[in-house]
Amino acid sequence: MALSTTDLGTGGSGMAKTIAPGNHVLKINSVELEDFRFIEGARHLILHVETEPIEGFDGFFIDKDDESQGRYGGQIGRVKASQYAFADGETKSGIKIQRDRSIMIFLNNMAKNLEFYEWFVEQDNKFNTIEDFVKNFNDNAPYKGIEIEFCIAGKEYMNKSGYVNYDMWLPKAENKTYAYGENVMTYSEAKHLKKMEVKEVKGFGDDEDDFTTPPKSSSDFNLD
C-alpha cells in the first residue's frame, strides 16, 4: 500500500485534527444514539463536535467517501453525553433509573443552555420512542451553528494506527460548575483524564476512523 503524506491525523504544523480533553469552544454538528454492546438496550448519546475554524488548517474530510464535500474547518471530536451509558435499572440504594427519561433530561438541559428550549417544548408527545425523538432532534438540528464552551473529560487509548487517542465524555457537574454553558468547570488533568497504561504496539493500521472512534468498554456503564 502506498504511503500517504497528507492524511496523517494532523492538520498542518503538527496540529491534531481531533480535539483532546480540555476546555474548548465548540459547536455541535450532529447527535446520535449508539448501542452499548455489553448491556442490552443501553445507549450512549454521542455529540459530534467541532472547534472554531482554524486558519491554514486542513481538517478531516466531512465525508471520506465524497471528498467533494470538503474538509472540516476546525478540529473535530465525538463526545459522550455521559461517561456511562444510559440504561434502565436500579441503583444500589433502590432508585429506579429510566434510560429514555435520563436521555430526555440531558437534552432538556441542553435546550435550556443553548437557548432553543421553545423548540424542545414544541416536540411534546410527538414521538413514541427515544430513537425517533433523537432522529428528529438531529434532523432539525436546533443546536446548529451555536458555539459554546465545553469542558471535556476522557481516557487515553491506542488506536489501530498506533497513536494515542481519547474516548471523551462530559463530566458530571461539581460545585455549581458544569460541563458546558455559562459556568463551565475548569479542566483538570488529575480529575478529568484517565491515563493509558503503556503497552507495546503490536501492529498499525491506516483507517481514518481510528482517529475518532474509541473502543467500547464494559466500564462504560454504571447506575450509581
Side-chain angles (χ1 to χ4, degrees), residues 19-213:
I19 65 169
N23 286 99
H24 302 278
V25 174
L26 303 169
K27 65 178 181 179
I28 300 170
N29 287 332
S30 63
V31 177
E32 67 172 335
L33 288 172
E34 180 179 88
D35 290 337
F36 178 59
R37 67 184 181 188
F38 294 99
I39 303 291
E40 184 176 357
R43 299 288 184 84
H44 277 296
L45 183 68
I46 308 294
L47 312 180
H48 293 272
V49 298
E50 182 181 358
T51 67
E52 298 169 299
I54 302 169
E55 185 176 354
F57 180 77
D58 287 323
F60 279 127
F61 284 110
I62 294 172
D63 184 343
K64 66 179 182 178
D65 297 320
D66 181 8
E67 296 182 2
S68 67
Q69 293 189 36
R71 294 177 179 267
Y72 290 104
Q75 295 170 303
I76 60 171
R78 38 172 285 142
V79 180
K80 298 172 184 174
S82 168
Q83 178 180 359
Y84 303 110
F86 295 99
D88 293 328
E90 185 174 317
T91 67
K92 293 177 182 177
S93 59
I95 299 173
K96 292 189 179 298
I97 303 295
Q98 296 177 323
R99 182 197 69 178
D100 295 358
R101 183 173 183 272
S102 298
I103 294 172
M104 291 295 285
I105 288 173
F106 175 86
L107 294 175
N108 175 73
N109 289 334
M110 175 183 285
K112 290 178 178 177
N113 274 280
L114 274 62
E115 299 183 353
F116 57 83
Y117 185 63
E118 183 177 343
W119 178 91
F120 186 86
V121 172
E122 290 172 355
Q123 312 312 306
D124 189 40
N125 292 318
K126 288 186 177 180
F127 304 94
N128 293 323
T129 68
I130 194 63
E131 291 80 9
D132 286 343
F133 187 94
V134 172
K135 182 180 186 305
N136 172 69
F137 182 68
N138 193 56
D139 289 345
N140 283 273
Y143 49 78
K144 210 73 171 180
I146 299 173
E147 295 181 337
I148 194 167
E149 184 179 359
F150 285 81
C151 176
I152 307 295
K155 64 182 177 183
E156 297 177 336
Y157 71 93
M158 187 75 73
N159 67 20
K160 295 176 184 177
S161 297
Y163 294 96
V164 174
N165 209 337
Y166 302 95
D167 180 14
M168 295 180 290
W169 59 82
L170 300 182
K172 288 183 178 180
E174 185 177 76
N175 298 325
K176 296 185 179 180
T177 61
Y178 303 92
Y180 64 96
E182 292 185 359
N183 197 20
V184 182
M185 64 183 66
T186 300
Y187 172 78
S188 165
E189 184 174 295
K191 290 182 179 179
H192 298 133
L193 181 64
K194 295 185 176 182
K195 290 281 194 176
M196 176 184 63
E197 181 182 348
V198 178
K199 295 180 180 179
E200 181 183 356
V201 177
K202 299 296 184 181
F204 296 90
D206 59 0
D207 189 344
E208 185 173 274
D209 285 345
D210 292 344
F211 293 99
T212 56
T213 306

